[in-house]
Amino acid sequence: MIIKRTLIIISALLFCVACESELDQFPETGILADNYYTDQDNVESTVNATYNELQALYDYYMILWGEIPTDNAYIQAPNSNGGARSLEDFSWTSTDGFVGSIWENCYEGIFYANTVLDVIDGVLYDSESLKSIRVGEMKFIRGFLYDHLTTMYGGVPLVLSIDDPTNAFDDTRSPLEEIYAQIESDLLDAVHLLPKNNSTGRADEYAARAILAKHYMKRQLFGKAEEQLQVIVDSQQFELVPIDQLFGVENEGNKEDVFSVQYASDLDGRSEGSRFHYLFTQPDDQGGMGAMAMESSLYELFTMDDLRRNFVNESNNVYYIDKWTPSPSSDRSDGGDNHFVVRYADVLLLYAECLNENDKTPLARIYLDLVRERADLEGTTATDKVSMRSAIALERRLEFVGEGHRWVDLLRTGNAIETMNSFFQSENKNITIDPFRLLAPLPQAEVDITEMEQNPGY
């Protein structure tokens, strides 16, 4: 299965170099002697490698996959879009770049996490507490990545240990319920193993609860999700920061950050930076790629008083989402912006959604209005369950545009086909979404070398 995993295993495992500081450097893949994992530094290197796969995952395609197939955004750049234009008209195939890239990044991260979980019990750590935290982090990332994989592809191979390479080509897709049970188990373990506050860029208890809540909501388990989100809200560890202090390198690590993927400029040969500003903010005639532009119909939904309009720039009648900081050097891929995976506004709106679905609509209004008030808007006029559901969905769309949430929200709520077919009709576009498009195809290269069956329609 999984080409990259197979190659790594056949090579014998991975070789890692120790890091000078928490997440500043990451290990490299190579040949591993059988006795490599003999001390704490060896394991810590692989822990860092696992986090590095999150960095690779969000570098480009995850944001495009969350935005371009929706009524939020489209590919503006005429060239050099990495094969992502198919996301815009639902014409992607099993050989498209985003299909294989996201799969590979997820399974590489799972491989590293499994490696740590397989060896850590036999390694002497300076602190048993730190060892326990590392187990929690690896279970968090494994559960997090399997949640991504099931959202995007449906049933996938469930790999929980380092395989014998002779078994790699026998992999088949595991039943969704089996994978869901493992995701829930991993994230619940992470909740209990992780501290309430962890080192910068590392998962903590609240990050685990947030991802677990999202997983429950995907399964329509709103009662369980509400319980997890309530713990985060009641903790008073987070708050909504002023809108002009939310994004940008100078505002990183603010009180709204529940979990983010870390990037940094001018570090390790400029290999740890982000491309977000270059890719998504600047139009291609102004030195940037302009790969993602906002639909004008979405821009028109922002009222004049909405402070979030300040995150949108207009150029030649094209609207660009401007939530990122330019690179400080000539290397345009070396921006320093972290990527919010979960921020407190996300928690509040998810909590409002759960409360509403659990027939607590008046209470849901309180948490929806917290986000609206931060944007300098008046309270919602929604009063019943149906109108509140629509109000929350709209607020999520306006709040998180450009951050990769929209397609996942449409899938989770079961509104993807209806919303997008209606949007295409309103835009006079001859596009109709077939139901099979709700899942991406498995990478064709993986299907060709394993016993996995391709998703229907591809």
Side-chain angles (χ1 to χ4, degrees):
M1 159 208 140
I2 308 135
I3 290 174
K4 192 69 173 183
R5 181 166 69 86
T6 303
L7 292 175
I8 293 174
I9 295 171
I10 291 174
S11 296
L13 271 179
L14 60 158
F15 173 78
C16 301
V17 294
C19 298
E20 293 180 1
S21 60
E22 279 289 308
L23 296 175
D24 289 350
Q25 295 180 336
F26 298 96
E28 299 173 355
T29 302
I31 304 300
L32 172 68
D34 290 339
N35 63 350
Y36 177 74
Y37 288 102
T38 57
D39 60 38
Q40 177 176 324
D41 287 344
N42 303 148
V43 180
E44 288 293 289
S45 299
T46 310
V47 169
N48 289 343
T50 315
Y51 278 98
N52 191 33
E53 287 305 322
L54 299 185
Q55 190 185 66
L57 178 65
Y58 280 96
D59 185 49
Y60 183 51
Y61 282 125
M62 276 299 294
I63 294 178
L64 290 185
W65 176 71
E67 297 289 339
I68 299 302
T70 79
D71 46 357
N72 272 7
Y74 62 96
I75 294 288
Q76 187 274 337
N79 303 304
S80 304
N81 55 66
R85 189 172 294 279
S86 62
L87 286 165
E88 190 175 315
D89 60 5
F90 290 80
S91 63
W92 57 74
T93 70
S94 60
T95 60
D96 278 15
F98 82 92
V99 174
S101 179
I102 293 176
W103 176 284
E104 181 174 308
N105 289 145
C106 285
Y107 271 110
E108 285 186 10
I110 289 166
F111 175 82
Y112 287 130
N114 285 340
T115 301
V116 173
L117 292 170
D118 277 1
V119 304
I120 196 168
D121 282 346
V123 176
L124 180 64
Y125 255 63
D126 294 339
S127 161
E128 286 300 310
S129 175
L130 178 60
K131 179 187 283 191
S132 179
I133 289 171
R134 294 297 184 252
V135 171
E137 289 176 279
M138 296 302 96
K139 290 199 170 188
F140 166 82
I141 291 178
R142 187 169 68 181
F144 176 55
L145 292 177
Y146 271 118
D147 186 59
H148 271 317
L149 286 166
T150 53
T151 298
M152 187 166 180
Y153 304 101
V156 296
L158 181 61
V159 184
L160 301 176
S161 62
I162 304 303
D163 287 0
D164 181 329
T166 60
N167 298 327
F169 299 100
D170 298 330
D171 286 318
T172 57
R173 304 175 70 171
S174 302
L176 267 179
E177 289 306 316
E178 181 181 343
I179 307 172
Y180 286 166
Q182 186 62 49
I183 293 168
E184 183 177 23
S185 174
D186 276 347
L187 293 175
L188 284 171
D189 284 349
V191 165
H192 294 109
L193 290 168
L194 291 172
K196 297 185 184 302
N197 295 287
N198 205 350
S199 303
T200 301
R202 295 187 181 274
D204 60 21
E205 174 193 326
Y206 301 116
R209 289 187 185 276
I211 298 303
L212 180 57
K214 289 192 175 196
H215 177 69
Y216 283 146
M217 293 178 75
K218 180 170 77 173
R219 297 166 60 189
Q220 305 295 296
L221 301 174
F222 294 107
K224 287 188 172 184
E226 180 187 328
E227 291 175 2
Q228 298 299 326
L229 295 166
Q230 183 176 354
V231 172
I232 303 174
V233 172
D234 289 349
S235 74
Q236 299 185 337
Q237 293 288 310
F238 307 96
E239 61 186 44
L240 297 175
V241 301
I243 205 79
D244 59 353
Q245 298 174 27
L246 179 55
F247 297 104
V249 174
E250 69 278 10
N251 294 316
E252 287 179 353
N254 60 54
K255 293 287 286 184
E256 191 157 337
D257 188 353
V258 178
F259 182 66
S260 58
V261 174
Q262 306 292 292
Y263 296 89
S265 300
D266 198 26
L267 183 66
D268 197 16
R270 294 179 180 172
S271 64
E272 306 300 335
S274 72
R275 299 185 292 166
F276 303 144
H277 187 273
Y278 165 65
L279 290 172
F280 304 137
T281 299
Q282 297 172 279
D284 60 353
D285 61 353
Q286 295 180 23
M289 187 173 178
M292 184 171 73
M294 177 187 287
E295 295 284 1
S296 59
S297 56
L298 173 57
Y299 182 73
E300 292 165 2
L301 292 177
F302 287 94
T303 65
M304 292 299 296
D305 294 333
D306 194 329
L307 295 177
R308 294 169 298 197
R309 283 172 57 102
N310 296 330
F311 295 134
V312 184
N313 287 334
E314 185 271 336
S315 177
N316 299 322
N317 295 317
V318 178
Y319 298 98
Y320 295 91
I321 305 151
D322 190 7
K323 293 182 175 180
W324 303 283
T325 308
S327 169
S329 71
S330 58
D331 186 344
R332 293 178 295 187
S333 64
D334 194 38
D337 290 287
N338 296 337
H339 174 75
F340 285 114
V341 175
V342 183
R343 53 187 175 92
Y344 192 50
D346 193 7
V347 169
L348 291 175
L349 291 177
L350 292 173
Y351 190 42
E353 185 175 334
C354 288
L355 291 168
N356 187 54
E357 295 302 326
N358 293 331
D359 298 317
K360 304 172 185 177
T361 300
L363 190 56
R365 177 175 184 167
I366 294 173
Y367 295 98
L368 168 60
D369 282 350
L370 288 175
V371 178
R372 291 180 57 81
E373 289 164 6
R374 195 262 297 270
D376 203 26
L377 300 176
E378 295 181 355
T380 182
T381 58
T383 56
D384 61 84
K385 189 173 185 177
V386 174
S387 62
M388 182 64 71
R389 185 182 293 144
S390 297
I392 293 169
L394 175 59
E395 205 63 35
R396 289 189 60 81
R397 190 180 174 197
L398 297 173
E399 179 70 24
F400 302 115
V401 60
E403 299 178 53
H405 290 263
R406 179 62 172 166
W407 183 237
V408 177
D409 281 351
L410 290 175
L411 292 174
R412 174 175 56 78
T413 57
N415 292 320
I417 292 178
E418 179 182 359
T419 297
M420 291 311 301
N421 284 343
S422 176
F423 169 75
F424 289 136
Q425 184 177 11
S426 69
E427 296 287 314
N428 295 315
K429 295 181 178 180
N430 188 28
I431 301 172
T432 301
I433 302 177
D434 292 317
F436 77 85
R437 292 286 181 185
L438 298 181
L439 290 177
L442 274 61
Q444 192 60 43
E446 308 296 337
V447 175
D448 290 343
I449 66 171
T450 69
E451 298 184 2
M452 289 188 292
E453 294 184 5
Q454 182 59 273
N455 278 326
Y458 294 104

